[in-house]
Amino acid sequence: MTSRSLLRLAMAGAVAAGGVLLAGLPADASKAPRSVPVRLLALNDFHGHLEPPTGSSGRMVDEHGATVEAGGAAYVATHMKALADRNTIAVAQGDLIGATPLVSAAYHDEPSVEFLGKLGLDVAAVGNHEFDEGYAELRRIMKGGCHPVDGCSPAGPWEGATFDYVGANVLFKNRNERTDALAALGDSRKFGTLLKDWGVPALPPVSVKWMNGVPIGFIGLVTQTTPNIVTAEGIKDLKFVDEVKAANVASELLKLVGVKAQVVLVHEGDQVTAGQSPDSCAAVPGAGNRIATQVAPEIDIVLSGHSHQAYMCTVKDPAGRDRLYSQGGSFGRVITQVDLKVNVRSRDIDRASVVADNHVVTRTVPADAEISQFVQTWKDRVAPVANRAAGTITADITNTATASGESALGNLIADAQLAATKEGGNAQIALMNPGGVRASLSYAGSAAGEGDGVVTYGESFTVQPFNNLMQVVTLTGAQLKTVLEQQFTGGPNNQAFTKILQPSANLTYTYSTGAAWGSKVSDIKIDGVPVTDTQTIRVAANNFLVGGGDAFQAFTEGTDLWSGPLDIDAFVAYLGQNNPIAPPATNRITVTG
């Protein structure tokens, strides 16, 4: 695969002597500064949120503990311009595209990639969602060309990303596969020896950016679990190897050409304690921490993504030295700033100089005028999509709660979410938060003229506007009971209001209004079979709930996290596959005194 970064590495190898990069040294080294400044500005998990995200997806806890409205491309641009200086390299940690809102998804995320180019992004790791439409589509996004099925967007032929996508642990399964990415490396005997027992890279493993006369090497990594969370057909020729092993091979590649300042951009991360400042180290050690602590000592900084959390940690590398490990939330709500100095003679980062800060992308600043117009243009283009039919209903399906707390529409959404997560996530039941059901579905036709009983995509999106990801976690029966107990006030979770989760049709239970907290829920059954405390259950919910939203903290104890489609996509797919839909019964929960 042709890559400016790999060609630069190949050229560097040709002029290197003994693995020490000679190019770029000042003519009079005695007059050179001892170190030069570099600033990194990082985004992760943007997920195409060109418009300001809404609901819980559009809020962020700031450095002072206040919850503020955050995100939106025009505000990201304003904050980036304010933070950037002449020493800046802009980077990202994956999932920039995929699982995106309609304004981006309708055009295969070309609008989001174009926006990121306008933002000045230089290099990004691939995330698992970059593979949502398969490897071939990712190559098209990187290199250009119109979509093979849908053709060119209203903007004309796609010219490709203006930034480098990198993924060191994405390899071809067939070792005989020959790519121009490998060709750029393979002409060097040193590279060939190093890669002999490694494999054939499907993506550029690294990108090198020069700043103030020194090279900075960026190593891209994506979660090794990618094959479990994307469609298998699209990546059938690829394998995703251990992140640490891949990072260490890439680090050796950089060392061979004298690039000693090394930064990992990894699409894998950890969960955090809820409600903490984005600058706190509230991360609970997990898959991201393993990578951050185990990659080669030559790697100076690890910037992460995937878990949609914000944290700023210092960890120890294998040599016992301090190393920055951070993440910046999701949906364009946080920009991570890292200031550092590189020693001119050693070409390495002075780790004592590293200072980092997570900036919340507030909406109290003026929206960038150019990007605002850019987003509006795409909104106007997508309007016809918003008016297309998604499915049909036989009567109004409302979000009005019954005495049990269920609503017909809430139950319908839970059924849709279970259907969307059975394959891939192996979900057995689904639970939907009632606050996420934002409007009712009306049988009567609208002014758009779609006709009685027809549900448009736009109407569906009004019901499910938050663009939450569908996720599945494993809970024990006891943990599921705790989740259900946390629906009610009076418990240690400080639930301010009773919030009855909307259950899929195969989950039934009873709750008592008069029982004490902890003893309210009983007779839990799945498909009519009583649930035991020790059995394991795959539970589907949106990422808001899985992250402990609405004080459902027991969800955060779940294991084996799987991420799937957006909740809106799950809903629309269900509407289209089950025509016509009658209002579901609201008899899944039994209430006693």
Side-chain angles (χ1 to χ4, degrees), residues 152-173:
C152 295
S153 80
W158 175 240
E159 296 182 359
T162 59
F163 54 89
D164 297 334
Y165 259 129
V166 288
N169 65 327
V170 186
L171 308 177
F172 282 109
K173 290 179 179 177

Side-chain angles (χ1 to χ4, degrees), residues 518-537:
S519 301
K520 287 183 173 293
V521 177
S522 62
D523 197 27
I524 305 171
K525 295 179 180 178
I526 298 175
D527 295 318
V529 179
V531 170
T532 67
D533 285 349
T534 56
Q535 77 180 87
T536 58
I537 305 160

Side-chain angles (χ1 to χ4, degrees), residues 343-358:
N343 185 289
V344 172
R345 290 191 174 276
S346 70
R347 297 289 181 91
D348 206 352
I349 292 173
D350 175 6
R351 294 198 195 177
S353 72
V354 176
V355 178
D357 188 15
N358 271 335

Side-chain angles (χ1 to χ4, degrees), residues 575-591:
L575 290 174
Q577 294 164 4
N578 295 275
N579 286 308
I581 293 177
T586 53
N587 59 357
R588 303 171 186 183
I589 303 172
T590 300
V591 183

Side-chain angles (χ1 to χ4, degrees), residues 13 56 167 202 205 217 222 245 261 343 480 518 557:
S56 61
V222 61
K245 182 178 179 181
N343 185 289
L480 174 61
E557 299 173 10

